[in-house]
Amino acid sequence: MTKRAGRRGLWTAAVLAAGLGALALVAPPLTPGTIKSAPVTVITTTTPPAPVVPLTPEELSAQVVPTIVTITAPAGFTTTAGTGIVLSPDGVVLTNHHVISGASDVTAVSMSNGLIYDAEILGYDSVSDLAVLRLAGATDLPVAVVGKSAEATRGDAVTAIGNAEGGGVPVPAPGVITNLGVTVNTRNVSDGSRNQLKGLIEVDADIRPGDSGGPLVNAVGELIGVSSAGNAVTDRTETSPAPQSYAIPIDTALPIVEQVLGGRSSETVRVGPTPVLGVAVKDHAEMPAGAEVVAVSFDSPAERVGLTKGAVITEFGGSRIASSADLNAAMSSRRPGDTVAVTWVDATGQPGTGSLVLDEGPPR
């Protein structure tokens, strides 16, 4: 393991190229012939649990590093590098949505065996910034020891480990929890897109681009969060702000993993391949209410059916469309290859209708 250098701007962490013994009240049994008198209570004390012994940095790395993968996700003219957490021996991996957003294909390198795997995108939730992958052909991979983020408290020692700066070598970033339940607005360094994430774990660990999707573990190496954002700076000096980074609690992430593995799409969770209509839309401020087309992709289903810039989509697949959110919700239940009827009003006020077949595209 190598230590982090002094080079480290709030971004999402993808880069371009972690008691007292109980009291038992026990009543003695009655033996034959015993006259029951006033109840007798015997107070006994269970043996206190062994104290939790934090792992050394070397022990923690030895436990956690084999359970992660480094991820490479080409998207157009750029390539995003990130990290993933292995959740099953056959290669189910949890990472951030922004790591794989727009990717034409995804590969991952296991830190346990050094093998390169093609990664299938099983599903994702762009709002929660989570994605679930499966590594093709993977077997017998070490898996993360999952803890409970609900048990985390301020001041707890934590460590983030990930593909910092996309170097392909896992680097640990130790720190402590400084706050819980935090809401932040993030910016993806690869495409400039913004998102609001809620309920996050705030830490003072120096999480950097490339760490996205990697594990945040507690002092005994248990997974309690998914590293997602931070205030990394290029050159950290004495006048630079203190490291301030954020992770999605694992208690929040696992239900989304289970939903994806269960094949249950919803308004925010996409399961399986991503369907493409081929338009960018915004809410239409005037009548008719609908999703106004602001751009149409070349040779897309939208262009082929006759949609043009300025058109307002008012119906999609039989559903009334009153906003861009309505169109996104209608798309969430669709799959590539579906045939969908569309109704719109063009920029000149003329009505239009048609039937199109959705293409398959990268995750968005």
Side-chain angles (χ1 to χ4, degrees), residues 221-247:
E222 295 173 332
L223 174 66
I224 62 167
V226 182
S227 299
S228 298
N231 67 340
V233 297
T234 303
D235 293 295
R236 190 167 292 286
T237 67
E238 291 182 2
T239 60
S240 299
Q244 194 172 44
S245 304
Y246 302 89

PDB file of all heavy atoms in Angstrom, residues 221-247:
ATOM      1  N   GLY A 221     -12.652  -2.662   9.912  1.00  0.00           N
ATOM      2  CA  GLY A 221     -12.717  -3.044   8.505  1.00  0.00           C
ATOM      3  C   GLY A 221     -14.102  -3.360   7.987  1.00  0.00           C
ATOM      4  O   GLY A 221     -14.230  -3.918   6.893  1.00  0.00           O
ATOM      5  N   GLU A 222     -15.149  -3.007   8.728  1.00  0.00           N
ATOM      6  CA  GLU A 222     -16.513  -3.254   8.264  1.00  0.00           C
ATOM      7  C   GLU A 222     -16.978  -2.127   7.348  1.00  0.00           C
ATOM      8  O   GLU A 222     -16.761  -0.946   7.638  1.00  0.00           O
ATOM      9  CB  GLU A 222     -17.477  -3.367   9.447  1.00  0.00           C
ATOM     10  CG  GLU A 222     -17.218  -4.563  10.338  1.00  0.00           C
ATOM     11  CD  GLU A 222     -18.090  -4.538  11.580  1.00  0.00           C
ATOM     12  OE1 GLU A 222     -18.483  -3.435  12.031  1.00  0.00           O
ATOM     13  OE2 GLU A 222     -18.378  -5.630  12.104  1.00  0.00           O
ATOM     14  N   LEU A 223     -17.633  -2.505   6.261  1.00  0.00           N
ATOM     15  CA  LEU A 223     -18.137  -1.541   5.290  1.00  0.00           C
ATOM     16  C   LEU A 223     -19.327  -0.783   5.870  1.00  0.00           C
ATOM     17  O   LEU A 223     -20.354  -1.370   6.209  1.00  0.00           O
ATOM     18  CB  LEU A 223     -18.569  -2.287   4.022  1.00  0.00           C
ATOM     19  CG  LEU A 223     -19.261  -1.469   2.934  1.00  0.00           C
ATOM     20  CD1 LEU A 223     -18.298  -0.449   2.329  1.00  0.00           C
ATOM     21  CD2 LEU A 223     -19.806  -2.406   1.848  1.00  0.00           C
ATOM     22  N   ILE A 224     -19.197   0.562   5.964  1.00  0.00           N
ATOM     23  CA  ILE A 224     -20.312   1.370   6.469  1.00  0.00           C
ATOM     24  C   ILE A 224     -20.750   2.431   5.469  1.00  0.00           C
ATOM     25  O   ILE A 224     -21.768   3.094   5.681  1.00  0.00           O
ATOM     26  CB  ILE A 224     -19.965   2.054   7.809  1.00  0.00           C
ATOM     27  CG1 ILE A 224     -18.789   3.030   7.638  1.00  0.00           C
ATOM     28  CG2 ILE A 224     -19.683   1.016   8.887  1.00  0.00           C
ATOM     29  CD1 ILE A 224     -18.608   3.953   8.836  1.00  0.00           C
ATOM     30  N   GLY A 225     -20.003   2.603   4.364  1.00  0.00           N
ATOM     31  CA  GLY A 225     -20.397   3.623   3.394  1.00  0.00           C
ATOM     32  C   GLY A 225     -19.717   3.447   2.058  1.00  0.00           C
ATOM     33  O   GLY A 225     -18.763   2.684   1.914  1.00  0.00           O
ATOM     34  N   VAL A 226     -20.270   4.178   1.067  1.00  0.00           N
ATOM     35  CA  VAL A 226     -19.728   4.179  -0.297  1.00  0.00           C
ATOM     36  C   VAL A 226     -19.208   5.588  -0.582  1.00  0.00           C
ATOM     37  O   VAL A 226     -19.997   6.542  -0.644  1.00  0.00           O
ATOM     38  CB  VAL A 226     -20.798   3.803  -1.331  1.00  0.00           C
ATOM     39  CG1 VAL A 226     -20.200   3.762  -2.734  1.00  0.00           C
ATOM     40  CG2 VAL A 226     -21.453   2.473  -0.979  1.00  0.00           C
ATOM     41  N   SER A 227     -17.907   5.742  -0.744  1.00  0.00           N
ATOM     42  CA  SER A 227     -17.317   7.055  -0.983  1.00  0.00           C
ATOM     43  C   SER A 227     -17.879   7.672  -2.254  1.00  0.00           C
ATOM     44  O   SER A 227     -17.937   7.011  -3.295  1.00  0.00           O
ATOM     45  CB  SER A 227     -15.791   6.941  -1.100  1.00  0.00           C
ATOM     46  OG  SER A 227     -15.230   6.436   0.093  1.00  0.00           O
ATOM     47  N   SER A 228     -18.302   8.945  -2.182  1.00  0.00           N
ATOM     48  CA  SER A 228     -19.005   9.536  -3.317  1.00  0.00           C
ATOM     49  C   SER A 228     -18.572  10.944  -3.673  1.00  0.00           C
ATOM     50  O   SER A 228     -18.656  11.328  -4.839  1.00  0.00           O
ATOM     51  CB  SER A 228     -20.516   9.549  -3.051  1.00  0.00           C
ATOM     52  OG  SER A 228     -21.003   8.240  -2.901  1.00  0.00           O
ATOM     53  N   ALA A 229     -18.144  11.759  -2.725  1.00  0.00           N
ATOM     54  CA  ALA A 229     -17.844  13.162  -3.032  1.00  0.00           C
ATOM     55  C   ALA A 229     -16.833  13.705  -2.039  1.00  0.00           C
ATOM     56  O   ALA A 229     -16.683  13.197  -0.929  1.00  0.00           O
ATOM     57  CB  ALA A 229     -19.109  14.007  -2.991  1.00  0.00           C
ATOM     58  N   GLY A 230     -16.145  14.775  -2.443  1.00  0.00           N
ATOM     59  CA  GLY A 230     -15.169  15.403  -1.561  1.00  0.00           C
ATOM     60  C   GLY A 230     -14.697  16.726  -2.106  1.00  0.00           C
ATOM     61  O   GLY A 230     -15.002  17.114  -3.231  1.00  0.00           O
ATOM     62  N   ASN A 231     -13.937  17.438  -1.300  1.00  0.00           N
ATOM     63  CA  ASN A 231     -13.445  18.761  -1.685  1.00  0.00           C
ATOM     64  C   ASN A 231     -11.960  18.725  -2.023  1.00  0.00           C
ATOM     65  O   ASN A 231     -11.183  19.589  -1.622  1.00  0.00           O
ATOM     66  CB  ASN A 231     -13.695  19.781  -0.568  1.00  0.00           C
ATOM     67  CG  ASN A 231     -12.873  19.491   0.687  1.00  0.00           C
ATOM     68  OD1 ASN A 231     -12.406  18.365   0.877  1.00  0.00           O
ATOM     69  ND2 ASN A 231     -12.692  20.490   1.541  1.00  0.00           N
ATOM     70  N   ALA A 232     -11.565  17.707  -2.764  1.00  0.00           N
ATOM     71  CA  ALA A 232     -10.155  17.562  -3.121  1.00  0.00           C
ATOM     72  C   ALA A 232      -9.642  18.810  -3.835  1.00  0.00           C
ATOM     73  O   ALA A 232     -10.351  19.428  -4.616  1.00  0.00           O
ATOM     74  CB  ALA A 232      -9.952  16.356  -4.016  1.00  0.00           C
ATOM     75  N   VAL A 233      -8.414  19.188  -3.549  1.00  0.00           N
ATOM     76  CA  VAL A 233      -7.764  20.305  -4.244  1.00  0.00           C
ATOM     77  C   VAL A 233      -6.478  19.796  -4.861  1.00  0.00           C
ATOM     78  O   VAL A 233      -5.917  18.789  -4.439  1.00  0.00           O
ATOM     79  CB  VAL A 233      -7.463  21.482  -3.288  1.00  0.00           C
ATOM     80  CG1 VAL A 233      -8.749  22.056  -2.729  1.00  0.00           C
ATOM     81  CG2 VAL A 233      -6.547  21.043  -2.157  1.00  0.00           C
ATOM     82  N   THR A 234      -6.017  20.504  -5.890  1.00  0.00           N
ATOM     83  CA  THR A 234      -4.830  20.049  -6.609  1.00  0.00           C
ATOM     84  C   THR A 234      -3.591  20.070  -5.735  1.00  0.00           C
ATOM     85  O   THR A 234      -2.827  19.107  -5.672  1.00  0.00           O
ATOM     86  CB  THR A 234      -4.619  20.922  -7.855  1.00  0.00           C
ATOM     87  OG1 THR A 234      -5.790  20.856  -8.669  1.00  0.00           O
ATOM     88  CG2 THR A 234      -3.422  20.441  -8.643  1.00  0.00           C
ATOM     89  N   ASP A 235      -3.378  21.170  -5.036  1.00  0.00           N
ATOM     90  CA  ASP A 235      -2.208  21.294  -4.169  1.00  0.00           C
ATOM     91  C   ASP A 235      -2.665  21.694  -2.777  1.00  0.00           C
ATOM     92  O   ASP A 235      -3.067  22.842  -2.552  1.00  0.00           O
ATOM     93  CB  ASP A 235      -1.231  22.339  -4.711  1.00  0.00           C
ATOM     94  CG  ASP A 235      -0.603  21.907  -6.021  1.00  0.00           C
ATOM     95  OD1 ASP A 235       0.130  20.908  -6.004  1.00  0.00           O
ATOM     96  OD2 ASP A 235      -0.863  22.567  -7.045  1.00  0.00           O
ATOM     97  N   ARG A 236      -2.623  20.752  -1.850  1.00  0.00           N
ATOM     98  CA  ARG A 236      -3.063  21.049  -0.497  1.00  0.00           C
ATOM     99  C   ARG A 236      -1.949  21.732   0.274  1.00  0.00           C
ATOM    100  O   ARG A 236      -0.826  21.228   0.349  1.00  0.00           O
ATOM    101  CB  ARG A 236      -3.506  19.768   0.215  1.00  0.00           C
ATOM    102  CG  ARG A 236      -4.198  20.025   1.531  1.00  0.00           C
ATOM    103  CD  ARG A 236      -4.900  18.793   2.042  1.00  0.00           C
ATOM    104  NE  ARG A 236      -6.044  18.415   1.231  1.00  0.00           N
ATOM    105  CZ  ARG A 236      -7.200  19.049   1.234  1.00  0.00           C
ATOM    106  NH1 ARG A 236      -7.362  20.127   1.990  1.00  0.00           N
ATOM    107  NH2 ARG A 236      -8.191  18.637   0.475  1.00  0.00           N
ATOM    108  N   THR A 237      -2.264  22.901   0.835  1.00  0.00           N
ATOM    109  CA  THR A 237      -1.303  23.678   1.613  1.00  0.00           C
ATOM    110  C   THR A 237      -1.893  23.971   2.986  1.00  0.00           C
ATOM    111  O   THR A 237      -3.012  23.572   3.306  1.00  0.00           O
ATOM    112  CB  THR A 237      -0.976  25.003   0.912  1.00  0.00           C
ATOM    113  OG1 THR A 237      -2.149  25.837   0.911  1.00  0.00           O
ATOM    114  CG2 THR A 237      -0.529  24.763  -0.531  1.00  0.00           C
ATOM    115  N   GLU A 238      -1.108  24.714   3.791  1.00  0.00           N
ATOM    116  CA  GLU A 238      -1.595  25.052   5.122  1.00  0.00           C
ATOM    117  C   GLU A 238      -2.837  25.925   5.074  1.00  0.00           C
ATOM    118  O   GLU A 238      -3.625  25.957   6.016  1.00  0.00           O
ATOM    119  CB  GLU A 238      -0.490  25.760   5.913  1.00  0.00           C
ATOM    120  CG  GLU A 238       0.683  24.846   6.274  1.00  0.00           C
ATOM    121  CD  GLU A 238       1.730  25.568   7.105  1.00  0.00           C
ATOM    122  OE1 GLU A 238       1.508  26.756   7.411  1.00  0.00           O
ATOM    123  OE2 GLU A 238       2.733  24.937   7.465  1.00  0.00           O
ATOM    124  N   THR A 239      -3.028  26.657   3.972  1.00  0.00           N
ATOM    125  CA  THR A 239      -4.192  27.533   3.853  1.00  0.00           C
ATOM    126  C   THR A 239      -5.371  26.860   3.152  1.00  0.00           C
ATOM    127  O   THR A 239      -6.436  27.451   3.027  1.00  0.00           O
ATOM    128  CB  THR A 239      -3.817  28.814   3.085  1.00  0.00           C
ATOM    129  OG1 THR A 239      -3.355  28.454   1.773  1.00  0.00           O
ATOM    130  CG2 THR A 239      -2.726  29.591   3.821  1.00  0.00           C
ATOM    131  N   SER A 240      -5.179  25.634   2.684  1.00  0.00           N
ATOM    132  CA  SER A 240      -6.265  24.920   2.017  1.00  0.00           C
ATOM    133  C   SER A 240      -7.325  24.512   3.044  1.00  0.00           C
ATOM    134  O   SER A 240      -7.015  24.310   4.222  1.00  0.00           O
ATOM    135  CB  SER A 240      -5.745  23.667   1.322  1.00  0.00           C
ATOM    136  OG  SER A 240      -4.795  23.996   0.336  1.00  0.00           O
ATOM    137  N   PRO A 241      -8.580  24.396   2.611  1.00  0.00           N
ATOM    138  CA  PRO A 241      -9.598  23.911   3.549  1.00  0.00           C
ATOM    139  C   PRO A 241      -9.291  22.488   3.979  1.00  0.00           C
ATOM    140  O   PRO A 241      -8.675  21.720   3.245  1.00  0.00           O
ATOM    141  CB  PRO A 241     -10.887  23.969   2.720  1.00  0.00           C
ATOM    142  CG  PRO A 241     -10.433  23.904   1.293  1.00  0.00           C
ATOM    143  CD  PRO A 241      -9.126  24.630   1.260  1.00  0.00           C
ATOM    144  N   ALA A 242      -9.705  22.149   5.188  1.00  0.00           N
ATOM    145  CA  ALA A 242      -9.484  20.794   5.688  1.00  0.00           C
ATOM    146  C   ALA A 242     -10.229  19.799   4.807  1.00  0.00           C
ATOM    147  O   ALA A 242     -11.275  20.128   4.244  1.00  0.00           O
ATOM    148  CB  ALA A 242      -9.965  20.690   7.129  1.00  0.00           C
ATOM    149  N   PRO A 243      -9.705  18.592   4.663  1.00  0.00           N
ATOM    150  CA  PRO A 243     -10.417  17.591   3.875  1.00  0.00           C
ATOM    151  C   PRO A 243     -11.842  17.391   4.391  1.00  0.00           C
ATOM    152  O   PRO A 243     -12.061  17.299   5.602  1.00  0.00           O
ATOM    153  CB  PRO A 243      -9.573  16.325   4.074  1.00  0.00           C
ATOM    154  CG  PRO A 243      -8.221  16.817   4.444  1.00  0.00           C
ATOM    155  CD  PRO A 243      -8.447  18.066   5.224  1.00  0.00           C
ATOM    156  N   GLN A 244     -12.782  17.362   3.483  1.00  0.00           N
ATOM    157  CA  GLN A 244     -14.191  17.190   3.839  1.00  0.00           C
ATOM    158  C   GLN A 244     -14.820  16.319   2.764  1.00  0.00           C
ATOM    159  O   GLN A 244     -14.983  16.754   1.627  1.00  0.00           O
ATOM    160  CB  GLN A 244     -14.883  18.543   3.927  1.00  0.00           C
ATOM    161  CG  GLN A 244     -16.235  18.526   4.613  1.00  0.00           C
ATOM    162  CD  GLN A 244     -16.762  19.935   4.820  1.00  0.00           C
ATOM    163  OE1 GLN A 244     -16.690  20.774   3.925  1.00  0.00           O
ATOM    164  NE2 GLN A 244     -17.282  20.196   6.008  1.00  0.00           N
ATOM    165  N   SER A 245     -15.129  15.093   3.100  1.00  0.00           N
ATOM    166  CA  SER A 245     -15.601  14.134   2.110  1.00  0.00           C
ATOM    167  C   SER A 245     -16.865  13.455   2.603  1.00  0.00           C
ATOM    168  O   SER A 245     -17.210  13.528   3.786  1.00  0.00           O
ATOM    169  CB  SER A 245     -14.508  13.101   1.828  1.00  0.00           C
ATOM    170  OG  SER A 245     -13.307  13.739   1.414  1.00  0.00           O
ATOM    171  N   TYR A 246     -17.553  12.776   1.657  1.00  0.00           N
ATOM    172  CA  TYR A 246     -18.887  12.267   1.964  1.00  0.00           C
ATOM    173  C   TYR A 246     -19.067  10.860   1.400  1.00  0.00           C
ATOM    174  O   TYR A 246     -18.586  10.546   0.320  1.00  0.00           O
ATOM    175  CB  TYR A 246     -19.953  13.199   1.388  1.00  0.00           C
ATOM    176  CG  TYR A 246     -19.825  14.609   1.927  1.00  0.00           C
ATOM    177  CD1 TYR A 246     -19.022  15.540   1.284  1.00  0.00           C
ATOM    178  CD2 TYR A 246     -20.466  14.979   3.101  1.00  0.00           C
ATOM    179  CE1 TYR A 246     -18.865  16.817   1.793  1.00  0.00           C
ATOM    180  CE2 TYR A 246     -20.323  16.249   3.621  1.00  0.00           C
ATOM    181  CZ  TYR A 246     -19.515  17.173   2.967  1.00  0.00           C
ATOM    182  OH  TYR A 246     -19.355  18.429   3.483  1.00  0.00           O
ATOM    183  N   ALA A 247     -19.805  10.047   2.154  1.00  0.00           N
ATOM    184  CA  ALA A 247     -20.086   8.673   1.738  1.00  0.00           C
ATOM    185  C   ALA A 247     -21.571   8.375   1.915  1.00  0.00           C
ATOM    186  O   ALA A 247     -22.215   8.871   2.851  1.00  0.00           O
ATOM    187  CB  ALA A 247     -19.251   7.686   2.555  1.00  0.00           C
TER     188      ALA A 247
END
